[in-house]
Amino acid sequence: MVTYLDTHLHCWDRRLFSYDWLHGTPFPERFTPDDVADQSAGVLGAVFVEADRRPEEAPAEAAWAAQLHAGGPAIAAVVAFLPIEKGTEVAADLDVLGANDKVTGVRRLLQDEPAAFFDDPSVAAGLAAVGAAGLAFDACVRAHQLPALVRLRRRAPAVTVVLDHLGKPDIDEAWGSTTARQWLDDLSALAGEPNTVIKLSGQGSAADPARTFDRAQPFVAAALEAFGPERCLVGSDWPVSRRDGEPYEAWFDHVATSYGLSETELALVLRDNAATTYGIELG
């Protein structure tokens, strides 16, 4: 049986928190690990990633997520929202989150920000404060933002940066296209930076559902080559990347069987790198 740590699980409860992005979507009112309890025999634990509720609700969301566990995967670590644009003043927010011992990472969605945001000195100062606090930073960007992320990354070199979802390449583009080649060039530049890892995640919602794994395969293979198995993590991005009729563990099985990884490399990609990045103790 494949065993793994899921590094990217979203949970929410619209009765408790406000998520503007969920309005008008088909997603359920509430999603927790209980909803995959019957599909998670191989999961050793999951990393909850903030679900873009209103900023002022972030500490409460982190506290709620930390205690989620019934029949499904136990939440082993929490990636909480942090407004890094506050610069050094973000220390107060970090103190609040520090009261929750499961918070080992933070995220501030960057995917809709202009290039100027990445170049703001306050953002770099806030990112540096994350590293000083001993936390990882999840960077969720789109492919065209990768060069800006490299610039920001270089201004806060001590923090561990985790690139979510391969940097969101357009896997509907043919492999070898101009767009795909540009993504690979920019991803390779990021891979050259120290303290930087990548999540093999987020591809389930990016293309024709019937062909997602086939479309994603060359992109995932390229990410594995650029970063090496020692700097790759695997995540479901459920339920955002959930595909109808497909079990929760399907993406993990795909990664485990499709890229010629050795047993040692599989242990790194599926479990050990996640444990190191997010401070999770493996039993």
Side-chain angles (χ1 to χ4, degrees):
M1 176 189 295
V2 173
T3 59
Y4 58 89
L5 285 167
D6 181 356
T7 64
H8 209 97
L9 184 67
H10 292 298
C11 303
W12 57 70
D13 191 332
R14 290 196 251 189
R15 301 167 302 179
L16 300 176
F17 307 108
S18 299
Y19 313 86
D20 292 343
W21 68 277
L22 280 172
H23 296 331
T25 71
F27 291 116
E29 180 178 56
R30 173 181 166 89
F31 184 87
T32 74
D34 298 357
D35 293 296
V36 292
D38 60 345
Q39 304 175 44
S40 55
V43 67
L44 303 175
V47 177
F48 166 85
V49 177
E50 61 92 18
D52 197 21
R53 73 328 47 232
R54 291 180 180 169
E56 65 272 18
E57 297 173 339
E61 179 195 44
W64 170 76
Q67 52 78 46
L68 286 176
H69 179 45
I75 299 300
V78 169
V79 174
F81 168 78
L82 187 75
I84 57 171
E85 64 269 30
K86 292 172 68 172
T88 56
E89 293 182 7
V90 83
D93 301 83
L94 286 166
D95 286 344
V96 172
L97 293 175
N100 185 336
D101 61 7
K102 282 195 176 177
V103 175
T104 58
V106 295
R107 184 170 85 152
R108 200 288 193 187
L109 275 173
L110 303 174
Q111 63 185 16
D112 295 321
E113 298 297 342
F117 183 91
F118 293 80
D119 296 327
D120 187 329
S122 293
V123 173
L127 185 59
V130 172
L135 303 178
F137 180 78
D138 267 49
C140 187
V141 301
R142 304 187 193 279
H144 72 274
Q145 296 172 306
L146 285 168
L149 180 61
V150 170
R151 295 196 302 272
L152 175 59
R153 146 89 290 177
R154 289 174 176 168
R155 297 169 70 189
V159 64
T160 295
V161 168
V162 185
L163 179 66
D164 290 348
H165 311 331
L166 305 183
K168 293 197 168 184
D170 182 359
I171 66 173
D172 284 327
E173 284 282 338
W175 182 247
S177 68
T178 300
T179 301
R181 290 198 303 271
Q182 186 63 60
W183 167 80
L184 182 55
D185 287 346
D186 295 337
L187 188 80
S188 298
L190 183 64
E193 297 300 313
N195 299 324
T196 308
V197 300
I198 187 171
K199 283 186 187 177
L200 313 179
S201 62
Q203 302 310 298
S205 62
D208 174 1
R211 303 183 63 192
T212 294
F213 289 1
D214 289 344
R215 289 283 195 178
Q217 186 150 354
F219 293 87
V220 174
L224 277 162
E225 183 175 354
F227 280 82
E230 67 279 3
R231 291 197 291 156
C232 292
L233 324 174
V234 68
S236 69
D237 191 35
W238 264 50
V240 177
S241 289
R242 178 181 180 275
R243 300 195 300 171
D244 288 343
E246 188 171 87
Y248 170 60
E249 295 188 319
W251 179 251
F252 300 96
D253 291 338
H254 168 76
V255 172
T257 60
S258 302
Y259 298 95
L261 298 173
S262 68
E263 288 189 14
T264 298
E265 291 169 337
L266 278 175
L268 290 170
V269 172
L270 298 180
R271 298 181 296 277
D272 296 349
N273 294 338
T276 299
T277 300
Y278 293 112
I280 299 168
E281 292 188 12
L282 293 175

